[in-house]
Amino acid sequence: MRVRPLAIAGAWEITPVLHGDSRGLFTEAFKAETLAEVIGHRFDLAQVNLSVSAAGVLRGIHFADVPPGQAKYVTCPSGAVLDVIVDIRVGSPTFGVHDTVLLDDTDRRAVYLSEGLGHGFCSLADGSTVTYLCSTGYNPTGEHGIDPLDPALGIEWPTTAHDGTPLTYSLSEKDIAAPSLAAAADSGLLPSYAEVADYLRSLAPTPS
């Protein structure tokens, strides 16, 4: 598989090698050894989440308190989504910057985002299925959101679906009520760049 760093430190795009013939297709969708080499520590899988979304559904921007945070390895086995990763680490050189990757059932790319980053996506087709391999389990008191339509983020969400039809955005009540990036920062809700860096260093293996 090919790994490409995104515009935000701690986030990567993973493109697998596809082996297909008249019978179908096979690919290695996740390789723990390869990922560990990239991120500098072992990825401990604690929970696997799955969502199915109609075209136009926006989910995010979601993040978790650090520590322990929640790293995610995200794929789209069916359908298509525009995946968005946002640097919400206060004090980061790229604070407020985002990057995007098209995840679909054609190229079968994945994204990995480390602890302390924000994540969301827009579904581009009915029935788009997204899987999330998560480093920690669900923690309702430690998980938060930022308004995905906050103009300060500057995210250019898609306006048309994969089939060319116009998209009408649909958000959960929780995501609609989420604060702007500035409001979240002012309230102390966001993780700090230094604290996240310290936590990630603690995950690195100790030299023998």
Side-chain angles (χ1 to χ4, degrees), residues 31-137:
K31 294 187 71 173
E33 181 179 352
T34 299
L35 184 62
E37 291 176 357
V38 171
I39 66 178
H41 61 85
R42 187 178 68 179
F43 176 73
D44 290 324
L45 177 61
Q47 183 169 319
V48 178
N49 298 330
L50 182 147
S51 67
V52 180
S53 303
V57 167
L58 285 182
R59 298 188 187 270
I61 302 296
H62 300 149
F63 65 97
D65 289 339
V66 180
Q70 188 180 70
K72 298 176 182 176
Y73 189 94
V74 186
T75 60
C76 181
S78 179
V81 302
L82 182 72
D83 198 85
V84 178
I85 299 170
V86 181
D87 190 348
I88 58 168
R89 301 167 296 189
V90 176
S92 168
T94 54
F95 177 73
V97 172
H98 71 275
D99 206 347
T100 64
V101 176
L102 176 65
L103 304 181
D104 61 21
D105 54 14
T106 300
D107 295 321
R108 302 193 180 276
R109 296 185 183 94
V111 295
Y112 175 85
L113 59 146
S114 66
E115 294 85 348
L117 298 179
H119 177 257
F121 67 81
C122 177
S123 174
L124 303 177
D126 286 338
S128 292
T129 301
V130 173
T131 60
Y132 321 68
L133 309 187
C134 302
S135 64
T136 57

Side-chain angles (χ1 to χ4, degrees), residues 106-194:
T106 300
D107 295 321
R108 302 193 180 276
R109 296 185 183 94
V111 295
Y112 175 85
L113 59 146
S114 66
E115 294 85 348
L117 298 179
H119 177 257
F121 67 81
C122 177
S123 174
L124 303 177
D126 286 338
S128 292
T129 301
V130 173
T131 60
Y132 321 68
L133 309 187
C134 302
S135 64
T136 57
Y138 176 60
N139 176 15
T141 62
E143 300 186 8
H144 314 284
I146 295 169
D147 179 5
L149 301 176
D150 178 7
L153 295 177
I155 301 172
E156 295 184 3
W157 294 106
T159 57
T160 57
H162 245 25
D163 61 6
T165 58
L167 288 176
T168 300
Y169 301 138
S170 175
L171 289 77
S172 70
E173 292 184 4
K174 183 177 179 180
D175 288 344
I176 290 173
S180 67
L181 180 67
D186 290 344
S187 68
L189 191 64
L190 302 181
S192 81
Y193 185 64

Side-chain angles (χ1 to χ4, degrees), residues 16-28 105-108:
V17 177
L18 306 181
H19 305 277
D21 56 27
S22 59
R23 300 170 300 159
L25 177 145
F26 173 85
T27 190
E28 295 176 335
D105 54 14
T106 300
D107 295 321
R108 302 193 180 276

